[in-house]
mmCIF file of all heavy atoms in Angstrom:
data_model
loop_
_atom_site.group_PDB
_atom_site.id
_atom_site.type_symbol
_atom_site.label_atom_id
_atom_site.label_comp_id
_atom_site.label_asym_id
_atom_site.label_seq_id
_atom_site.Cartn_x
_atom_site.Cartn_y
_atom_site.Cartn_z
ATOM 1 N N TRP A 19 -23.481 21.925 -12.207
ATOM 2 C CA TRP A 19 -22.351 22.825 -12.171
ATOM 3 C C TRP A 19 -22.048 23.156 -10.670
ATOM 4 O O TRP A 19 -20.801 23.170 -10.230
ATOM 5 C CB TRP A 19 -22.649 24.132 -12.889
ATOM 6 C CG TRP A 19 -21.478 25.139 -12.785
ATOM 7 C CD1 TRP A 19 -20.528 25.193 -13.660
ATOM 8 C CD2 TRP A 19 -21.338 26.172 -11.769
ATOM 9 N NE1 TRP A 19 -19.593 26.171 -13.280
ATOM 10 C CE2 TRP A 19 -20.137 26.806 -12.200
ATOM 11 C CE3 TRP A 19 -22.073 26.571 -10.723
ATOM 12 C CZ2 TRP A 19 -19.648 27.869 -11.347
ATOM 13 C CZ3 TRP A 19 -21.592 27.607 -9.884
ATOM 14 C CH2 TRP A 19 -20.312 28.275 -10.239
ATOM 15 N N GLN A 20 -23.068 23.299 -9.871
ATOM 16 C CA GLN A 20 -22.837 23.596 -8.478
ATOM 17 C C GLN A 20 -22.135 22.409 -7.817
ATOM 18 O O GLN A 20 -21.263 22.581 -6.931
ATOM 19 C CB GLN A 20 -24.224 23.865 -7.742
ATOM 20 C CG GLN A 20 -24.786 25.256 -8.122
ATOM 21 C CD GLN A 20 -24.156 26.401 -7.566
ATOM 22 O OE1 GLN A 20 -23.156 26.239 -6.696
ATOM 23 N NE2 GLN A 20 -24.510 27.568 -7.867
ATOM 24 N N THR A 21 -22.657 21.218 -8.053
ATOM 25 C CA THR A 21 -21.984 20.025 -7.576
ATOM 26 C C THR A 21 -20.523 19.901 -7.931
ATOM 27 O O THR A 21 -19.704 19.649 -7.123
ATOM 28 C CB THR A 21 -22.744 18.756 -8.058
ATOM 29 O OG1 THR A 21 -24.100 18.858 -7.519
ATOM 30 C CG2 THR A 21 -22.109 17.523 -7.453
ATOM 31 N N ASP A 22 -20.256 20.040 -9.217
ATOM 32 C CA ASP A 22 -18.875 19.970 -9.776
ATOM 33 C C ASP A 22 -18.006 21.042 -9.244
ATOM 34 O O ASP A 22 -16.829 20.721 -8.855
ATOM 35 C CB ASP A 22 -18.930 20.117 -11.310
ATOM 36 C CG ASP A 22 -19.556 18.920 -11.967
ATOM 37 O OD1 ASP A 22 -19.700 17.870 -11.329
ATOM 38 O OD2 ASP A 22 -19.906 19.077 -13.276
ATOM 39 N N TYR A 23 -18.548 22.225 -9.034
ATOM 40 C CA TYR A 23 -17.785 23.349 -8.446
ATOM 41 C C TYR A 23 -17.453 23.034 -6.906
ATOM 42 O O TYR A 23 -16.283 23.248 -6.494
ATOM 43 C CB TYR A 23 -18.505 24.633 -8.560
ATOM 44 C CG TYR A 23 -17.766 25.845 -7.950
ATOM 45 C CD1 TYR A 23 -16.675 26.373 -8.628
ATOM 46 C CD2 TYR A 23 -18.133 26.332 -6.748
ATOM 47 C CE1 TYR A 23 -16.011 27.430 -8.108
ATOM 48 C CE2 TYR A 23 -17.424 27.419 -6.107
ATOM 49 C CZ TYR A 23 -16.361 27.965 -6.811
ATOM 50 O OH TYR A 23 -15.685 28.945 -6.246
ATOM 51 N N GLN A 24 -18.319 22.519 -6.265
ATOM 52 C CA GLN A 24 -18.039 22.239 -4.804
ATOM 53 C C GLN A 24 -17.113 21.114 -4.732
ATOM 54 O O GLN A 24 -16.216 21.173 -3.852
ATOM 55 C CB GLN A 24 -19.435 21.793 -4.176
ATOM 56 C CG GLN A 24 -20.419 22.905 -3.965
ATOM 57 C CD GLN A 24 -21.729 22.412 -3.392
ATOM 58 O OE1 GLN A 24 -21.941 21.267 -3.137
ATOM 59 N NE2 GLN A 24 -22.701 23.358 -3.226
ATOM 60 N N GLU A 25 -17.134 20.111 -5.552
ATOM 61 C CA GLU A 25 -16.148 19.040 -5.513
ATOM 62 C C GLU A 25 -14.762 19.601 -5.919
ATOM 63 O O GLU A 25 -13.712 19.245 -5.304
ATOM 64 C CB GLU A 25 -16.521 17.921 -6.543
ATOM 65 C CG GLU A 25 -17.688 17.105 -6.082
ATOM 66 C CD GLU A 25 -18.150 15.999 -7.096
ATOM 67 O OE1 GLU A 25 -17.437 15.977 -8.139
ATOM 68 O OE2 GLU A 25 -19.021 15.274 -6.794
ATOM 69 N N TRP A 26 -14.705 20.459 -6.907
ATOM 70 C CA TRP A 26 -13.476 21.074 -7.373
ATOM 71 C C TRP A 26 -12.868 21.953 -6.140
ATOM 72 O O TRP A 26 -11.711 21.835 -5.890
ATOM 73 C CB TRP A 26 -13.637 21.889 -8.568
ATOM 74 C CG TRP A 26 -12.423 22.746 -8.989
ATOM 75 C CD1 TRP A 26 -11.390 22.251 -9.691
ATOM 76 C CD2 TRP A 26 -12.099 24.086 -8.732
ATOM 77 N NE1 TRP A 26 -10.437 23.275 -9.869
ATOM 78 C CE2 TRP A 26 -10.894 24.321 -9.306
ATOM 79 C CE3 TRP A 26 -12.840 25.081 -7.973
ATOM 80 C CZ2 TRP A 26 -10.282 25.628 -9.195
ATOM 81 C CZ3 TRP A 26 -12.262 26.348 -7.893
ATOM 82 C CH2 TRP A 26 -10.952 26.582 -8.435
ATOM 83 N N SER A 27 -13.721 22.762 -5.523
ATOM 84 C CA SER A 27 -13.221 23.601 -4.459
ATOM 85 C C SER A 27 -12.703 22.776 -3.315
ATOM 86 O O SER A 27 -11.702 23.104 -2.724
ATOM 87 C CB SER A 27 -14.423 24.529 -4.022
ATOM 88 O OG SER A 27 -14.899 25.354 -5.034
ATOM 89 N N SER A 28 -13.375 21.675 -3.044
ATOM 90 C CA SER A 28 -13.037 20.821 -1.914
ATOM 91 C C SER A 28 -11.630 20.178 -2.165
ATOM 92 O O SER A 28 -10.793 20.074 -1.356
ATOM 93 C CB SER A 28 -14.044 19.718 -1.702
ATOM 94 O OG SER A 28 -13.635 18.756 -0.725
ATOM 95 N N GLU A 29 -11.424 19.733 -3.493
ATOM 96 C CA GLU A 29 -10.130 19.133 -3.857
ATOM 97 C C GLU A 29 -8.993 20.191 -3.863
ATOM 98 O O GLU A 29 -7.884 19.886 -3.423
ATOM 99 C CB GLU A 29 -10.292 18.531 -5.290
ATOM 100 C CG GLU A 29 -11.145 17.289 -5.252
ATOM 101 C CD GLU A 29 -11.261 16.654 -6.672
ATOM 102 O OE1 GLU A 29 -10.785 17.312 -7.587
ATOM 103 O OE2 GLU A 29 -11.902 15.643 -6.814
ATOM 104 N N VAL A 30 -9.260 21.432 -4.228
ATOM 105 C CA VAL A 30 -8.308 22.495 -4.180
ATOM 106 C C VAL A 30 -7.928 22.741 -2.810
ATOM 107 O O VAL A 30 -6.719 23.023 -2.436
ATOM 108 C CB VAL A 30 -8.794 23.771 -4.946
ATOM 109 C CG1 VAL A 30 -7.867 24.974 -4.649
ATOM 110 C CG2 VAL A 30 -8.907 23.550 -6.495
ATOM 111 N N GLU A 31 -8.882 22.905 -1.874
ATOM 112 C CA GLU A 31 -8.608 23.146 -0.521
ATOM 113 C C GLU A 31 -7.860 22.032 0.176
ATOM 114 O O GLU A 31 -6.962 22.335 0.911
ATOM 115 C CB GLU A 31 -9.980 23.346 0.208
ATOM 116 C CG GLU A 31 -9.860 23.830 1.644
ATOM 117 C CD GLU A 31 -9.861 22.624 2.651
ATOM 118 O OE1 GLU A 31 -10.258 21.461 2.305
ATOM 119 O OE2 GLU A 31 -9.431 22.874 3.830
ATOM 120 N N LEU A 32 -8.128 20.815 -0.179
ATOM 121 C CA LEU A 32 -7.444 19.684 0.347
ATOM 122 C C LEU A 32 -5.985 19.703 -0.204
ATOM 123 O O LEU A 32 -5.076 19.412 0.593
ATOM 124 C CB LEU A 32 -8.084 18.331 -0.070
ATOM 125 C CG LEU A 32 -7.388 17.083 0.352
ATOM 126 C CD1 LEU A 32 -7.217 17.024 1.858
ATOM 127 C CD2 LEU A 32 -8.202 15.813 -0.261
ATOM 128 N N ALA A 33 -5.770 19.922 -1.412
ATOM 129 C CA ALA A 33 -4.451 20.093 -2.027
ATOM 130 C C ALA A 33 -3.589 21.110 -1.351
ATOM 131 O O ALA A 33 -2.438 20.876 -1.044
ATOM 132 C CB ALA A 33 -4.551 20.345 -3.545
ATOM 133 N N GLU A 34 -4.219 22.270 -1.075
ATOM 134 C CA GLU A 34 -3.504 23.331 -0.397
ATOM 135 C C GLU A 34 -3.124 22.899 0.951
ATOM 136 O O GLU A 34 -2.007 23.220 1.468
ATOM 137 C CB GLU A 34 -4.336 24.609 -0.367
ATOM 138 C CG GLU A 34 -4.581 25.280 -1.741
ATOM 139 C CD GLU A 34 -5.503 26.416 -1.621
ATOM 140 O OE1 GLU A 34 -6.312 26.571 -0.589
ATOM 141 O OE2 GLU A 34 -5.529 27.193 -2.626
ATOM 142 N N ARG A 35 -3.951 22.210 1.761
ATOM 143 C CA ARG A 35 -3.617 21.769 3.043
ATOM 144 C C ARG A 35 -2.482 20.706 3.029
ATOM 145 O O ARG A 35 -1.578 20.669 3.888
ATOM 146 C CB ARG A 35 -4.887 21.201 3.710
ATOM 147 C CG ARG A 35 -5.881 22.270 4.088
ATOM 148 C CD ARG A 35 -7.231 21.608 4.466
ATOM 149 N NE ARG A 35 -7.148 20.668 5.514
ATOM 150 C CZ ARG A 35 -7.891 19.535 5.564
ATOM 151 N NH1 ARG A 35 -8.814 19.308 4.665
ATOM 152 N NH2 ARG A 35 -7.731 18.747 6.626
ATOM 153 N N VAL A 36 -2.525 19.833 2.027
ATOM 154 C CA VAL A 36 -1.478 18.853 1.874
ATOM 155 C C VAL A 36 -0.084 19.557 1.632
ATOM 156 O O VAL A 36 0.916 19.196 2.192
ATOM 157 C CB VAL A 36 -1.838 17.857 0.667
ATOM 158 C CG1 VAL A 36 -0.626 17.045 0.324
ATOM 159 C CG2 VAL A 36 -2.966 16.927 1.066
ATOM 160 N N LEU A 37 -0.117 20.487 0.717
ATOM 161 C CA LEU A 37 1.103 21.274 0.424
ATOM 162 C C LEU A 37 1.660 22.026 1.645
ATOM 163 O O LEU A 37 2.873 22.304 1.778
ATOM 164 C CB LEU A 37 0.903 22.205 -0.773
ATOM 165 C CG LEU A 37 0.647 21.548 -2.165
ATOM 166 C CD1 LEU A 37 0.309 22.521 -3.205
ATOM 167 C CD2 LEU A 37 1.907 20.680 -2.513
ATOM 168 N N ASN A 38 0.730 22.330 2.512
ATOM 169 C CA ASN A 38 1.120 22.991 3.850
ATOM 170 C C ASN A 38 1.512 22.001 4.841
ATOM 171 O O ASN A 38 1.664 22.394 6.080
ATOM 172 C CB ASN A 38 0.010 23.915 4.256
ATOM 173 C CG ASN A 38 -0.147 25.164 3.434
ATOM 174 O OD1 ASN A 38 0.889 25.720 2.834
ATOM 175 N ND2 ASN A 38 -1.373 25.677 3.287
ATOM 176 N N SER A 39 1.624 20.756 4.482
ATOM 177 C CA SER A 39 2.035 19.649 5.390
ATOM 178 C C SER A 39 1.168 19.438 6.559
ATOM 179 O O SER A 39 1.566 19.127 7.682
ATOM 180 C CB SER A 39 3.533 19.879 5.910
ATOM 181 O OG SER A 39 4.388 19.962 4.861
ATOM 182 N N ASN A 40 -0.169 19.556 6.280
ATOM 183 C CA ASN A 40 -1.189 19.317 7.304
ATOM 184 C C ASN A 40 -1.339 17.744 7.448
ATOM 185 O O ASN A 40 -1.757 17.158 6.511
ATOM 186 C CB ASN A 40 -2.555 19.981 6.882
ATOM 187 C CG ASN A 40 -3.556 19.814 7.925
ATOM 188 O OD1 ASN A 40 -4.111 18.734 8.116
ATOM 189 N ND2 ASN A 40 -3.889 20.869 8.618
#
Side-chain angles (χ1 to χ4, degrees):
W19 181 86
Q20 289 288 353
T21 299
D22 293 343
Y23 178 77
Q24 290 174 1
E25 291 179 357
W26 174 82
S27 297
S28 177
E29 291 178 355
V30 169
E31 186 268 341
L32 177 59
E34 290 175 345
R35 290 165 56 211
V36 167
L37 292 175
N38 287 327
S39 298
N40 182 290

